[in-house]
């Protein structure tokens, strides 16, 4: 099915990546739909690509795109075909792969290939992708609708923390509302407004409760709280979290490794602690099922009130924009506590 359709498409390749163009893949999808051939469609997006371009430059960015394209192409080999959807996003079609287990295996194959990816020019650069997959005809029966369902799965993966794959299931993902380009532009402004609107309520306790409920849902956090010493305040656990109980952790490692300028610490994967020789801290997180974590110090005028702590039970690629919102919340809470000359023990009493 693949070879026969693409026999005369060898000149229809993307200039940068030398994989098929978006138009060719769309034509192929509509060809399969017309023939009523079942297939899966996956959208693959490079995580944090803007950061790569801004930090390392567009030459390295182009190298990353080409390397990812080649990795995806080699990974799917004869079971599918990949095209460049645009920018740092790719589209993959798996003809006659529609059973959930088969689709899961295909996505897992891509994930395994990406786990071994290295960029020769920047060997320390960690590149990950997020994948959203939908199936024809089970999910939708037109290219446009199928693309939308795959995009919803991709969006769910991004909100989950990136570096993962999501297979669209209507019972889980049908209610997802995709952001428009305008929404994406307004999001940082909106999120900062949410922080200040909640934390300027007459009751700071009520404001933190409301804000943490919002953060838990919006950022798909398994757990968010304020930890001061060995005490936890305002703990919120996501209703879908596979872990139902979280406890304080030893903050000595955080205090030793926190970024002095921003007063925050983040960890995308706990196995990164192996390289640092921090086995005790890794074990403490692993005991609670925590695979990635974030801390923002709540500090004002040298008065240290503790940390906003956010945990995920899966690997999470923490986004600078997301961490900025959490850091803004931490600084705002610190300002209010300092102004009122109280701490969390007095606030909760």
């Amino acid at each position: 099915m693949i070879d026969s359709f693409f026999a005369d498409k060898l000149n229809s390749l993307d200039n940068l990546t030398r994989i098929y163009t978006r138009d060719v893949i769309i034509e192929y999808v509509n060809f399969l739909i017309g023939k009523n051939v079942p297939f899966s469609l996956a959208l693959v997006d490079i995580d944090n690509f803007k950061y790569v371009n801004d930090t390392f430059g567009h030459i390295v960015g182009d190298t990353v795109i080409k390397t990812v394209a080649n990795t995806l192409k080699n990974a799917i080999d004869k079971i599918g075909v990949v095209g460049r959807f645009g920018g740092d996003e790719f589209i993959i079609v798996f003809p006659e792969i529609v059973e959930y287990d088969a689709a899961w295996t295909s996505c897992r194959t891509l994930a395994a290939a990406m786990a071994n990816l290295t960029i020769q020019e920047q060997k320390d650069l960690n590149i990950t992708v997020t994948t959203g997959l939908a199936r024809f005809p089970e999910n939708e029966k037109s290219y446009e609708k199928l693309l939308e369902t795959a995009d919803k799965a991709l969006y769910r993966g991004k909100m989950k923390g990136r570096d993962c794959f999501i297979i669209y299931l209507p019972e889980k993902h049908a209610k997802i509302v995709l952001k428009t380009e305008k929404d994406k532009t307004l999001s940082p402004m909106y999120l900062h407004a949410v922080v200040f609107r909640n934390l300027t309520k007459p009751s700071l306790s009520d404001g933190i409760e409301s804000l943490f409920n919002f953060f838990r849902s919006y950022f798909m956090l398994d757990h968010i709280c304020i930890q001061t010493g060995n005490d936890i305040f305002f703990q919120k656990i996501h209703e879908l979290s596979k872990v139902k109980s979280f406890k304080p952790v030893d903050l000595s490692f955080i205090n030793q490794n926190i970024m002095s300028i921003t007063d925050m610490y983040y960890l995308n994967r706990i196995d990164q602690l192996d390289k640092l020789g921090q086995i005790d801290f890794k074990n403490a997180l692993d005991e609670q099922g925590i695979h990635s974590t974030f801390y923002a110090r709540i500090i004002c005028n040298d008065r240290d009130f503790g940390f906003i702590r956010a945990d995920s039970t899966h690997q999470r690629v923490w986004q600078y924009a997301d961490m900025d919102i959490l850091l803004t919340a931490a600084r705002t809470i610190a300002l209010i506590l300092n102004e009122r000359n109280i701490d969390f023990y007095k606030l909760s009493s």
Side-chain angles (χ1 to χ4, degrees):
M1 186 64 69
I2 296 177
D3 293 340
S4 60
F5 178 86
F6 289 99
D8 62 345
K9 307 293 184 183
L10 297 179
N11 294 322
S12 301
L13 302 178
D14 175 67
N15 290 331
L16 176 65
T17 61
R18 307 311 295 167
I19 59 176
Y20 291 109
T21 64
R22 172 177 179 160
D23 289 343
V24 170
I25 299 299
I26 293 174
E27 184 182 348
Y28 181 51
V29 168
N30 286 319
F31 168 77
L32 295 176
I33 292 174
K35 297 290 187 180
N36 202 31
V37 176
F39 65 92
S40 290
L41 182 147
L43 291 177
V44 181
D45 189 78
I46 301 176
D47 298 324
N48 292 325
F49 186 72
K50 184 178 185 302
Y51 167 78
V52 174
N53 265 345
D54 292 348
T55 304
F56 301 98
H58 291 277
I59 294 177
V60 172
D62 285 350
T63 299
V64 169
I65 290 176
K66 289 189 289 186
T67 304
V68 171
N70 191 55
T71 301
L72 296 176
K73 181 180 177 181
N74 290 337
I76 62 176
D77 196 21
K78 297 295 184 180
I79 65 171
V81 61
V82 59
R84 188 180 181 192
F85 195 66
D88 59 314
E89 195 168 40
F90 303 87
I91 184 169
I92 298 175
V93 179
F94 297 103
E96 299 181 358
I97 294 179
V98 287
E99 294 298 327
Y100 184 90
D101 288 348
W104 190 94
T105 299
S106 299
C107 288
R108 187 68 187 88
T109 298
L110 294 178
M114 285 300 305
N116 296 318
L117 183 147
T118 57
I119 306 300
Q120 293 301 317
E121 291 79 356
Q122 296 288 338
K123 292 187 181 298
D124 293 333
L125 183 58
N126 181 39
I127 298 298
T128 63
V129 300
T130 303
T131 301
L133 181 142
R135 294 170 285 166
F136 170 86
E138 179 173 335
N139 299 140
E140 292 292 348
K141 294 180 173 58
S142 71
Y143 162 73
E144 292 79 8
K145 290 293 185 180
L146 194 67
L147 183 68
E148 182 177 330
T149 55
D151 206 11
K152 286 183 177 182
L154 176 65
Y155 178 78
R156 175 65 180 87
K158 292 289 187 180
M159 293 306 296
K160 188 177 179 181
R162 297 166 168 78
D163 191 18
C164 64
F165 61 85
I166 300 292
I167 298 173
Y168 180 86
L169 296 172
E171 62 270 23
K172 289 186 176 181
H173 309 126
K175 293 183 179 180
I176 290 176
V177 178
L178 296 173
K179 291 182 179 180
T180 65
E181 290 304 314
K182 181 180 179 181
D183 291 333
K184 293 175 184 177
T185 302
L186 292 176
S187 284
M189 296 170 57
Y190 167 72
L191 291 172
H192 280 93
V194 169
V195 170
F196 295 125
R197 184 171 66 248
N198 280 284
L199 296 182
T200 53
K201 288 182 176 181
S203 168
L204 180 58
S205 294
D206 291 346
I208 296 175
E209 290 273 356
S210 177
L211 182 62
F212 280 15
N213 277 325
F214 172 80
F215 282 161
R216 173 184 60 180
S217 175
Y218 187 88
F219 294 125
M220 294 300 296
L221 299 171
D222 286 89
H223 175 236
I224 184 169
C225 70
I226 288 170
Q227 181 173 340
T228 299
N230 291 320
D231 295 306
I232 282 181
F233 303 91
F234 302 104
Q235 184 175 67
K236 302 296 176 187
I237 300 173
H238 201 287
E239 58 271 17
L240 297 180
S241 176
K242 61 184 179 182
V243 177
K244 303 302 181 184
S245 177
F246 294 87
K247 59 186 179 182
V249 297
D250 185 352
L251 295 174
S252 59
F253 173 80
I254 304 299
N255 285 315
Q256 293 167 11
N257 291 275
I258 199 164
M259 299 177 187
S260 58
I261 296 177
T262 59
D263 283 315
M264 70 179 189
Y265 172 83
Y266 69 95
L267 184 70
N268 291 333
R269 306 189 314 271
I270 63 171
D271 58 14
Q272 293 171 330
L273 294 169
D274 290 328
K275 298 178 181 178
L276 301 175
Q278 296 294 335
I279 305 303
D280 290 343
F281 186 60
K282 178 185 176 182
N283 290 339
L285 296 180
D286 197 31
E287 285 175 5
Q288 299 187 54
I290 298 170
H291 283 215
S292 64
T293 191
F294 170 84
Y295 290 78
R297 193 189 297 277
I298 306 171
I299 189 169
C300 179
N301 292 340
D302 295 325
R303 290 190 65 190
D304 188 345
F305 299 97
F307 295 91
I308 288 181
R309 167 186 160 190
D311 301 311
S312 290
T313 60
H314 48 264
Q315 294 181 8
R316 183 185 189 101
V317 181
W318 290 96
Q319 302 298 294
Y320 288 108
D322 298 348
M323 293 189 290
D324 175 61
I325 297 299
L326 293 168
L327 184 61
T328 297
R331 292 290 172 82
T332 305
I333 292 171
L335 283 170
I336 297 172
L337 292 174
N338 187 67
E339 177 68 22
R340 298 181 184 179
N341 195 29
I342 57 176
D343 56 24
F344 290 112
Y345 297 98
K346 291 182 180 179
L347 189 63
S348 61
S349 61

